Structures are given as C-alpha cells and as structure tokens.
Amino acid sequence: HVQLVESGGGSVQAGGSLRLSCAASGYDFSVLYMAWFRRATGGEREGVAAIDTTGHTVYPYSVNDRFTVSRDNAKNTEYLQMDSLRPEDTAMYYCAADRYCLGTSLLLTVQEYTEWGQGTQVTVS
C-alpha cells in the first residue's frame, strides 16, 4: 500500500508562487506513475500535472507554462512548482500515484490512480 503525504500549501497573492511536495512510502517510488490533482469547492477533481516513470510530463492547457511537476526518486518525493498563481487556482491539491499506466492519454484522469493523499489547501487572493 502506497502512502502519500502532501505539504507546502498555503495562502499567496495572485502572481505569487508555491511549491508543493508529496512524500511517498510503502513502495518502490521509482516505478510509480505520479500526478497532482485539485478540487475547488463544489467542483470536480481535475488533473493539473502528471509525471511518468521516465520523467515525461503532462499538463492541461489551464496550467501549461505556469506549473512544473518533477520527481526525486532518491527522496521518494514528487513536487509541483506553481508560478504566476491566479485566484482560480484556489483548491485542495492532491497527490496521486499508481503502479500501472492505463495509457499515456489517461495520465491526467482520476481513473488512472488508485492511491491518493489527503490533500493540501492552496488559496490565491
């Protein structure tokens, strides 16, 4: 069972930056497909970044060029660098992981992942 713990959320003014971290344990991190999702109040969970086992990254248009996902296999940690933050980025951010890939076209979809963290709140004003 993979355990995921997010950190780094907080409140920031529009235009600012935050860096989220996701510490993983319980499995060989280097073979996990990893992603970040967010859910705004009243909204659905939306994939904002994914990184596969080779380091290939995927982003939706809404965050392209503003968000950067990375991973450090030596530290069993995934990161999300968020720049030029906007009020519409306000949400609970979740780390997700899975041992298998259903398909690269699904890396930003909820059904790709079976392991989830508890989330960290990001508020942009």
Side-chain angles (χ1 to χ4, degrees):
H1 177 65
V2 179
Q3 296 179 318
L4 304 171
V5 179
E6 302 96 333
S7 61
S11 297
V12 64
Q13 291 188 336
S17 298
L18 281 174
R19 188 194 196 202
L20 306 183
S21 298
C22 172
S25 60
Y27 204 77
D28 181 357
F29 181 77
S30 67
V31 302
L32 293 175
Y33 294 83
M34 303 294 297
W36 288 96
F37 286 75
R38 68 184 180 188
R39 182 168 60 193
T41 302
E44 296 185 354
R45 202 165 290 197
E46 171 196 21
V48 297
I51 183 167
D52 71 9
T53 57
T54 69
H56 174 69
T57 58
V58 181
Y59 306 93
Y61 178 78
S62 59
V63 306
N64 203 25
D65 293 333
R66 298 190 300 121
F67 289 10
T68 304
V69 62
S70 61
R71 64 191 298 160
D72 186 335
N73 290 341
K75 296 183 177 180
N76 296 337
T77 302
E78 179 196 28
Y79 302 98
L80 183 68
Q81 178 66 42
M82 304 186 293
D83 298 316
S84 302
L85 283 163
R86 305 167 180 170
E88 54 263 40
D89 294 319
T90 295
M92 184 72 79
Y93 282 71
Y94 300 89
C95 175
D98 204 274
R99 308 167 194 180
Y100 308 104
C101 179
L102 300 176
T104 54
S105 63
L106 299 176
L107 285 174
L108 289 175
T109 63
V110 173
Q111 57 262 40
E112 168 63 45
Y113 303 94
T114 56
E115 310 288 352
W116 294 85
Q118 294 300 306
T120 185
Q121 178 68 36
V122 171
T123 302
V124 185
S125 59

